[in-house]
Amino acid sequence: MATQTQPRRRASTWCCSFSPPPASPDRKLPIKSPAHCTNPTSNPTPSTNPRPFLTRRILSPGRVSPIDSDQITADLPPTPAPPCVSEEASTDFKFQLKEKGARRGFVVQLLDPGLLCDNSHFFRELIENDTTTVEVDNVDLYKDAIHFIHSTDKDFIASIVKTGVSKAIDLLQVMCTIKFERGILSCLKYIEAAPWTENEEEKLNILFSKIKFKEPIVEDIVLRLNQTADFSSSAEGDLAIHLIQQIANSTNSSARKDMQSLVKGILCDSSVYQKDQTGLNRDSLYQLCNSCLSSLKDLFKGEVSTDTRPLIEQVSSQVENLTWLFEILINNNMAEEFVDLWGSQEELVKLHECYSPMVRYELSRVSVCVFIALGKGKLQCKGDVRTQVFNSWFGPTLLDFGWLKRCPKGLDFRMFEETLGKALLTLPLVQQQRFFEEWFSCFSVRGMECPNLSTAFQVWWRRSFIRSVVHPGRGDHAVTS
């Protein structure tokens, strides 16, 4: 007689459900009367099948009766159902995980609470105190933590690799809360070896400021976070000056522009890379500025150089260095001295007059940057310093404006004309008159080859003549726009 077997299910050690557990199956099924029995006097012989629910009856030699589908053996004990962790009869401990403020939670039922007790001091106290409800910040993380307690280290690492560093940091915090040492170590091993985003690095910094770890691998993570005692802003500033100097000495135009943009970005106060105030040394930056100015003077003097590039290209490189350094100084609130430095370049102004516009116009790029910064109010220079830079470079800028328009290199001319006029209006009215007369003379001859300062000229005219008539008792210094 063929024996019919049924696959058995493996019993888990824990189970979770949002619904109440079903009723226990540990009860005997009702016995039906043998309605189709043909020989009431015969007794069925028990089968050797470990699950004997049905019986057969022999009617005669060589004949076997059909299976009595409605008859269940009464004198044999019912076969127990495969163990299920969601059934109350086989559950040793049950508790509910609930997020703070939530009404319903997640039911956790355990067949073997000892496994949790052996691995987590938190769950051992929970089970010993027979706690039925636990409020947590994130139920899903605690579910994952319980699952990982029942997993091997290899499976645990494989799981957190799939979820990523951010989830591993969250799990690490939960592992510390439930005091699961094996889970803490596994999370730290994965985090140490994986690349981080800036947001993940910030999460680690916050976590490490709250929790002190004893595991040796933490030292490697701390080194990646730059939390070392010998690191200081002065070291950062020295490195930045070294990089700036290398870029200033570069002869590759394309690479220099890329590196200038990179270094300017990481040193800029508004940069996404900026974390703390840099330790840039003011004197070191101005030494570099003076070095660029000396190189420009040597080039215009015709000094012999080892650089084989054309003169215009060498001049352009030094001008780019100066304007770039000026932007770094502005971003670090150190640029007022640069205005004084540029305004005092009498020798360079004289050399400017000796060269053709095709070469000399590059110097006016520096003047344009200074005038724009003054017109935007980014610099708090004294009046005599502003007057000095206009005395030195206002006239050369007017003469070079046509060449600047031919080679703009990103210059916004409408913005330049507006800011140049505003910067000029910050001077005493007597000085304004002298410079506006110089502009008027140049503009009447050169036209669009000269910047259009008509708007600022009208403001100066109203201040100087119309308002002085309306308020004759006021001095020039009291007149406002």
Side-chain angles (χ1 to χ4, degrees), residues 286-306:
Y286 277 101
Q287 286 177 5
L288 292 173
C289 291
N290 282 311
S291 176
C292 293
L293 288 171
S294 297
S295 297
L296 281 173
K297 293 175 185 178
D298 292 341
L299 288 172
F300 280 100
K301 288 178 182 179
E303 298 288 342
V304 178
S305 173
T306 57

Side-chain angles (χ1 to χ4, degrees), residues 8-22:
R8 303 183 63 181
R9 294 180 296 172
R10 176 181 294 182
S12 302
T13 57
W14 68 287
C15 178
C16 301
S17 173
F18 278 103
S19 60

Side-chain angles (χ1 to χ4, degrees), residues 342-479:
W342 184 244
S344 62
Q345 298 300 314
E346 296 179 1
E347 183 180 7
L348 200 56
V349 172
K350 292 179 180 180
L351 291 171
H352 175 276
E353 297 174 354
C354 301
Y355 275 81
S356 67
M358 187 173 61
V359 176
R360 73 188 186 193
Y361 86 96
E362 286 286 349
L363 294 177
S364 293
R365 292 191 188 279
V366 182
S367 302
V368 166
C369 293
V370 172
F371 290 140
I372 289 175
L374 289 172
K376 287 185 174 182
K378 291 184 176 182
L379 302 173
Q380 289 72 50
C381 299
K382 295 181 180 180
D384 58 341
V385 174
R386 299 196 301 272
T387 300
Q388 183 183 33
V389 76
F390 269 95
N391 283 332
S392 299
W393 294 106
F394 182 70
T397 303
L398 297 182
L399 294 176
D400 294 339
F401 186 76
W403 277 91
L404 289 171
K405 291 184 70 174
R406 293 182 182 92
C407 304
K409 295 184 179 180
L411 176 62
D412 185 340
F413 290 97
R414 179 171 295 182
M415 185 263 294
F416 166 60
E417 291 171 338
E418 179 183 353
T419 52
L420 177 61
K422 288 182 178 180
L424 205 160
L425 290 172
T426 65
L427 304 179
L429 284 174
V430 174
Q431 299 292 337
Q432 291 182 35
Q433 179 175 346
R434 178 165 63 88
F435 289 119
F436 274 119
E437 286 181 356
E438 182 180 355
W439 165 79
F440 198 89
S441 175
C442 178
F443 190 74
S444 61
V445 175
R446 300 171 64 89
M448 299 307 295
E449 293 287 302
C450 180
N452 190 342
L453 304 181
S454 57
T455 301
F457 180 83
Q458 294 176 47
V459 174
W460 163 76
W461 185 274
R462 288 195 300 269
R463 287 177 176 177
S464 300
F465 301 105
I466 298 177
R467 293 190 181 183
S468 63
V469 174
V470 177
H471 305 287
R474 292 186 179 181
D476 287 344
H477 66 280
V479 179

Side-chain angles (χ1 to χ4, degrees), residues 148 151-159 180 182-183 186 189:
F148 291 142
S151 303
T152 63
D153 292 345
K154 183 178 180 180
D155 292 338
F156 181 25
I157 291 293
S159 298
F180 178 33
R182 186 164 55 88
S186 296
K189 285 182 178 179

Side-chain angles (χ1 to χ4, degrees), residues 122-403:
F122 171 83
F123 285 113
R124 182 166 63 247
E125 290 183 349
L126 186 71
I127 295 171
E128 289 175 352
N129 297 330
D130 200 21
T131 305
T132 58
T133 302
V134 181
E135 287 192 350
V136 296
D137 294 327
N138 191 315
V139 168
D140 291 334
L141 289 176
Y142 277 79
K143 285 163 50 183
D144 291 341
I146 296 173
H147 172 73
F148 291 142
I149 290 176
H150 294 80
S151 303
T152 63
D153 292 345
K154 183 178 180 180
D155 292 338
F156 181 25
I157 291 293
S159 298
I160 60 176
V161 166
K162 293 179 181 178
T163 57
V165 175
S166 183
K167 179 67 174 294
I169 297 173
D170 295 334
L171 276 174
L172 175 59
Q173 188 167 0
V174 173
M175 297 300 183
C176 294
T177 302
I178 66 176
K179 301 177 182 178
F180 178 33
E181 298 295 336
R182 186 164 55 88
I184 293 173
L185 183 59
S186 296
C187 286
L188 289 173
K189 285 182 178 179
Y190 168 68
I191 291 171
E192 192 279 329
W196 309 331
T197 64
E198 287 186 288
N199 290 335
E200 291 164 351
E201 180 182 347
E202 188 64 26
K203 287 180 68 173
L204 274 178
N205 274 316
I206 295 173
L207 180 60
F208 275 42
S209 66
K210 296 178 180 178
I211 302 175
K212 303 300 180 184
F213 296 91
K214 299 179 180 179
E215 288 74 6
I217 196 172
V218 173
E219 297 180 2
D220 296 330
I221 298 177
V222 171
L223 290 176
R224 286 183 60 182
L225 292 172
N226 287 330
Q227 294 179 350
T228 55
D230 58 345
F231 185 83
S232 62
S233 60
S234 60
E236 178 187 357
D238 293 341
L239 176 59
I241 293 295
H242 178 66
L243 295 177
I244 291 172
Q245 189 172 14
Q246 283 188 315
I247 294 172
N249 295 331
S250 172
T251 58
N252 188 308
S253 178
S254 177
R256 185 177 63 254
K257 290 179 180 179
D258 290 341
M259 293 299 100
Q260 285 176 346
S261 177
L262 172 63
V263 174
K264 177 188 171 184
I266 63 177
L267 297 179
C268 180
D269 286 338
S270 60
S271 171
V272 296
Y273 304 103
Q274 184 74 14
K275 295 181 176 63
D276 302 308
Q277 289 295 328
T278 58
L280 285 177
N281 186 280
R282 179 193 298 265
D283 294 338
S284 298
L285 286 174
Y286 277 101
Q287 286 177 5
L288 292 173
C289 291
N290 282 311
S291 176
C292 293
L293 288 171
S294 297
S295 297
L296 281 173
K297 293 175 185 178
D298 292 341
L299 288 172
F300 280 100
K301 288 178 182 179
E303 298 288 342
V304 178
S305 173
T306 57
D307 195 339
T308 58
R309 293 178 299 169
L311 175 62
I312 183 62
E313 187 175 346
Q314 296 182 54
V315 171
S316 178
S317 296
Q318 295 302 328
V319 168
E320 284 182 4
N321 287 334
L322 274 174
T323 56
W324 172 58
L325 288 168
F326 180 56
E327 290 177 355
I328 293 175
L329 290 168
I330 289 178
N331 292 330
N332 288 274
N333 300 317
M334 303 177 185
E336 284 75 15
E337 294 179 24
F338 186 91
V339 181
D340 191 12
L341 179 64
W342 184 244
S344 62
Q345 298 300 314
E346 296 179 1
E347 183 180 7
L348 200 56
V349 172
K350 292 179 180 180
L351 291 171
H352 175 276
E353 297 174 354
C354 301
Y355 275 81
S356 67
M358 187 173 61
V359 176
R360 73 188 186 193
Y361 86 96
E362 286 286 349
L363 294 177
S364 293
R365 292 191 188 279
V366 182
S367 302
V368 166
C369 293
V370 172
F371 290 140
I372 289 175
L374 289 172
K376 287 185 174 182
K378 291 184 176 182
L379 302 173
Q380 289 72 50
C381 299
K382 295 181 180 180
D384 58 341
V385 174
R386 299 196 301 272
T387 300
Q388 183 183 33
V389 76
F390 269 95
N391 283 332
S392 299
W393 294 106
F394 182 70
T397 303
L398 297 182
L399 294 176
D400 294 339
F401 186 76
W403 277 91

